[in-house]
Amino acid sequence: DTAVSQTPKYLVTQMGNDKSIKCEQNLGHDTMYWYKQDSKKFLKIMFSYNNKELIINETVPNRFSPKSPDKAHLNLHINSLELGDSAVYFCASSPNRGGRYNEQFFGPGTRLTVL
Amino acid sequence: AQSVTQLGSHVSVSEGALVLLRCNYSSSVPPYLFWYVQYPNQGLQLLLKYTTGATLVKGINGFEAEFKKSETSFHLTKPSAHMSDAAEYFCAVSRGVSGSARQLTFGSGTQLTVLP
């Protein structure tokens, strides 16, 4: 079973479109994250939710809106896509307790290409 | 504030040779430190972590790292490189944010190439 899954794996779209990326974890974790990896492979936190509550909101354009319908899902919606949004987006989750509570488990990534 | 510096964006070693990937951190609180590996077109996989206790930590695939507070370093080593070790390696430092959530700050990554 895949622990942290993302759909789609690849997303190619035109500038100005609106798109969503979905993330699901079956690990029973309470905290989920979105990261952006740019073309130089630099990884930066975007958002984090803990039990459906937004707790990290880095300097991200408000065209990006995360939504957590329940603690196993954290989706990322992007409005009015721009060329600079092209990147790989990673979802991650972490447990709130136990010996691995400070570890983050990553999904396979979604490669977004904006044309 | 916290930050991570990885010296050397590209490292090449011969198969069987020692692997040394360098990481220095800056943190205003005692750090939690991590090494992640990313294989092509895949997500990140945890190699090892340091939180408290023993400063020499062992991870998967024969990797280990030593936390040196006086040098603010957490270098990753492996005695003998294997072709399958070729990947991108990320050092990261984390801090508590709210409740149990932790924010990871990553270094810029080191691409390891293993030559036959």
Side-chain angles (χ1 to χ4, degrees):
Chain A
D1 280 344
T2 304
V4 182
S5 59
Q6 296 178 228
T7 53
K9 189 168 175 61
Y10 299 96
L11 184 52
V12 181
T13 188
Q14 300 286 331
M15 270 176 47
N17 284 351
D18 302 339
K19 290 292 178 186
S20 292
I21 306 172
K22 295 187 176 182
C23 177
E24 176 181 3
Q25 54 94 5
N26 63 5
L27 298 167
H29 293 168
D30 292 285
T31 306
M32 297 184 72
Y33 310 80
W34 277 109
Y35 289 86
K36 178 180 181 180
Q37 186 174 46
D38 64 22
S39 59
K40 294 187 172 142
K41 302 245 175 120
F42 185 68
L43 274 154
K44 191 166 170 21
I45 182 80
M46 299 174 70
F47 301 103
S48 176
Y49 270 74
N50 185 46
N51 274 324
K52 302 194 294 176
E53 179 187 352
L54 181 65
I55 54 171
I56 296 175
N57 186 355
E58 289 295 290
T59 309
V60 176
N62 57 15
R63 298 182 294 104
F64 289 78
S65 54
K67 281 193 171 47
S68 181
D70 55 62
K71 73 174 191 177
H73 296 84
L74 180 60
N75 303 324
L76 183 65
H77 188 75
I78 315 170
N79 288 329
S80 303
L81 279 155
E82 300 177 358
L83 293 177
D85 298 332
S86 295
V88 181
Y89 293 84
F90 286 100
C91 178
S93 70
S94 63
N96 281 19
R97 63 192 66 82
R100 306 189 76 175
Y101 90 93
N102 48 49
E103 295 179 25
Q104 293 186 21
F105 296 75
F106 284 79
T110 295
R111 183 175 294 276
L112 171 64
T113 303
V114 182
L115 304 175
Chain B
Q2 53 186 24
S3 65
V4 176
T5 302
Q6 291 184 238
L7 294 174
S9 57
H10 291 84
V11 170
S12 293
V13 299
S14 298
E15 192 173 18
L18 171 72
V19 175
L20 171 60
L21 304 183
R22 299 178 187 275
C23 172
N24 288 88
Y25 69 91
S26 169
S27 177
S28 55
V29 297
Y32 288 2
L33 294 159
F34 303 81
W35 276 99
Y36 282 86
V37 60
Q38 184 180 26
Y39 297 102
N41 298 315
Q42 293 188 28
L44 281 77
Q45 181 182 5
L46 181 67
L47 273 179
L48 49 80
K49 66 177 182 181
Y50 168 79
T51 54
T52 59
T55 56
L56 181 64
V57 292
K58 295 185 185 301
I60 61 171
N61 302 339
F63 284 93
E64 61 183 37
E66 186 170 12
F67 169 61
K68 292 187 176 180
K69 184 178 178 181
S70 60
E71 299 176 9
T72 62
S73 68
F74 191 56
H75 301 330
L76 181 71
T77 60
K78 180 173 180 178
S80 175
H82 192 272
M83 298 296 287
S84 61
D85 295 327
E88 188 87 23
Y89 291 80
F90 292 94
C91 182
V93 61
S94 88
R95 66 179 179 93
V97 177
S98 172
S100 58
R102 302 194 68 83
Q103 179 165 340
L104 276 175
T105 299
F106 286 90
S108 53
T110 298
Q111 177 69 47
L112 176 66
T113 300
V114 181
L115 306 169

